Amino acid sequence: MRSTSALERLAKVEKMFFDKTGTLTKLPMKVKSVFIAKSAKEKEERRKNLDGLEKNFVQVIASVEHGSEHPLARAIVEYANGMELSKPESFTALPGLGVTAKLNGENIVIGNERLNSQEQLTISSEIKQYADSMRDDGQVVVYVGWGGQVQGLVGLGETVREEAQAVIQRLQSRGLNLGVLTGDDEQAGRRWQEMLGIPVYAGLKPNEKMTHIVENTAMIGDGINDAPALAASTIGLAMNHGTDVARTAADIVLIRDDLRVVPWLFDLSKATMRIVKENLGWAFIYNIIGVGLAMAGLMKPVWAALAMVMSSVFVTANAMRMNKYPLLDGEILVVE
Ligand code: ADP
Ligand code: MG
């Protein structure tokens, strides 16, 4: 916890938003398919040298993605494992969209459909079809383009974290209102909504994620694109593998990268605040009685001093009950 008021604010939370990629998805992600567009002229040459061509293609995208911290980028670099990568002349990360870079004099664009239209890349029906079939297979589609055209695709496998369903149920059973904020496309959003049974808001840019944050809302994320929402939320929680920007913007960092910590922490915050309130209530009543007795001349100063010390002992002992709070170890133990 990066601030002392984190637990107090967490206890007030009524609504929680999760980021999708990197937060609800299992890491590392893996490249499942690579598709390179065919042009009639190149077809013949391609048949002869498909391996070389794919190698070249992977080399180019991995060289660019090497500069990105995004889970998709890491998967692509991992896929190119062992290949020699070049250093781009320039590189720009566009949170929620993808990356652009200049490599060997060519402007390379790697990202989602929104980035394609922003960069005005044309896309052939062949590629469109292939992208749809990747999506039907549940893959995340990354478009790769240069020279004004989408030149190929990378499909990445995406699965939900094992603990996600249980975590969602636990949080719902505590009356929290849950949702997912993602920069991924609508189709992926619908799939995840069906799978998780909570609302998924898709196609969001970083500032659009932020507009969903209202009072008493927690945000859990990992990316640069989550940082504004993490900072704007009542309490932000960042995954430990996440970007520095996300971890800095958050109040709590999940060092174990385990989502089960979220309901555990929520319960801990409630238990802590209950004890704080008990102590406050106790001290208030105790003091009113004590001061009343003293004013009526019914308590000698020496007894009053002793009473004050006893009050502190009681309050401290009550607070120390938190030392027995069950730790999150393997399974979550919850004190009801
Ligand atoms: P989420 O909000 O679910 O974590 P992001 O906003 O991080 O997702 O990413 C949204 C989309 O932007 C991704 O699905 C991907 O299409 C694209 N994107 C972001 N960063 C990259 C990158 N480094 N390489 C390729 N695509 C990227
Ligand atoms: Mg993310």
Side-chain angles (χ1 to χ4, degrees):
M1 284 179 224
R2 304 181 60 244
S3 82
T4 47
S5 63
L7 277 183
E8 193 177 346
R9 281 181 282 135
L10 183 59
K12 286 191 197 141
V13 162
E14 291 158 5
K15 209 169 179 177
M16 256 185 207
F17 283 116
F18 290 89
D19 159 57
K20 176 178 76 69
T21 320
T23 302
L24 288 174
T25 58
K26 211 192 282 185
L27 293 178
M29 294 177 82
K30 280 223 152 57
V31 172
K32 279 180 85 176
S33 51
V34 175
F35 178 73
I36 309 168
K38 294 190 208 96
S39 77
K41 201 173 76 193
E42 287 172 345
K43 247 183 190 163
E44 190 51 29
E45 198 188 329
R46 260 162 203 277
R47 235 169 7 98
K48 279 190 253 155
N49 188 18
L50 193 62
D51 275 356
L53 211 86
E54 178 173 330
K55 189 167 168 240
N56 228 325
F57 183 75
V58 171
Q59 226 162 5
V60 167
I61 50 175
S63 296
V64 172
E65 291 283 26
H66 194 63
S68 168
E69 293 179 282
H70 200 275
L72 294 173
R74 289 187 192 174
I76 290 170
V77 173
E78 178 59 28
Y79 185 70
N81 189 18
M83 288 185 192
E84 208 168 301
L85 304 183
S86 335
K87 196 170 160 34
E89 290 101 73
S90 69
F91 172 88
T92 316
L94 305 160
L97 294 170
V99 293
T100 59
K102 195 167 191 153
L103 188 74
N104 302 326
E106 187 84 71
N107 285 316
I108 318 272
V109 178
I110 305 178
N112 52 21
E113 268 179 314
R114 267 180 299 133
L115 184 61
N116 284 347
S117 31
Q118 190 175 306
E119 296 288 324
Q120 298 177 334
L121 298 182
T122 56
I123 173 163
S124 67
S125 55
E126 184 200 15
I127 298 193
K128 263 199 193 124
Q129 258 175 25
Y130 205 89
D132 284 340
S133 68
M134 281 175 165
R135 277 199 205 92
D136 290 342
D137 184 42
Q139 296 177 28
V140 178
V141 181
V142 172
Y143 295 80
V144 183
W146 59 80
Q149 276 184 346
V150 176
Q151 306 281 354
L153 305 168
V154 182
L156 294 103
E158 176 177 73
T159 48
V160 62
R161 274 175 197 267
E162 276 130 16
E163 76 268 24
Q165 292 284 9
V167 165
I168 285 171
Q169 271 164 21
R170 278 178 189 155
L171 291 170
Q172 278 176 331
S173 76
R174 283 151 183 73
L176 289 168
N177 200 334
L178 304 180
V180 177
L181 304 177
T182 178
D184 205 349
D185 59 41
E186 295 287 343
Q187 196 172 336
R190 278 195 296 274
R191 201 174 58 241
W192 278 76
Q193 180 157 319
E194 241 165 63
M195 192 162 58
L196 299 174
I198 56 175
V200 177
Y201 304 93
L204 302 177
K205 289 192 218 119
N207 60 329
E208 291 168 342
K209 283 198 180 194
M210 194 173 68
T211 57
H212 284 268
I213 306 292
V214 291
E215 213 181 329
N216 298 337
T217 305
M219 170 78 198
I220 304 148
D222 73 324
I224 299 175
N225 62 323
D226 299 318
L230 285 169
S233 55
T234 307
I235 180 129
L237 296 96
M239 305 300 278
N240 192 39
H241 73 261
T243 55
D244 290 343
V245 187
R247 282 185 302 178
T248 312
D251 305 280
I252 296 177
V253 180
L254 306 183
I255 297 286
R256 291 194 201 181
D257 258 357
D258 184 341
L259 290 178
R260 291 176 314 156
V261 172
V262 179
W264 180 82
L265 259 182
F266 184 70
D267 291 340
L268 179 76
S269 73
K270 289 280 187 197
T272 307
M273 290 318 290
R274 197 171 55 232
I275 287 189
V276 168
K277 280 178 194 150
E278 275 171 17
N279 280 349
L280 262 177
W282 158 262
F284 201 68
I285 293 166
Y286 192 89
N287 275 284
I288 284 182
I289 295 172
V291 170
L293 288 175
M295 282 173 70
L298 295 174
M299 189 171 343
K300 286 194 180 143
V302 65
W303 291 113
L306 183 69
M308 201 64 250
V309 172
M310 289 314 294
S311 169
S312 299
V313 169
F314 176 84
V315 165
T316 310
N318 193 32
M320 279 170 66
R321 277 170 39 211
M322 285 308 290
N323 280 339
K324 295 218 176 73
Y325 193 84
L327 293 177
L328 176 73
D329 207 26
E331 245 314 298
I332 302 185
L333 301 161
V334 180
V335 275
E336 293 294 351

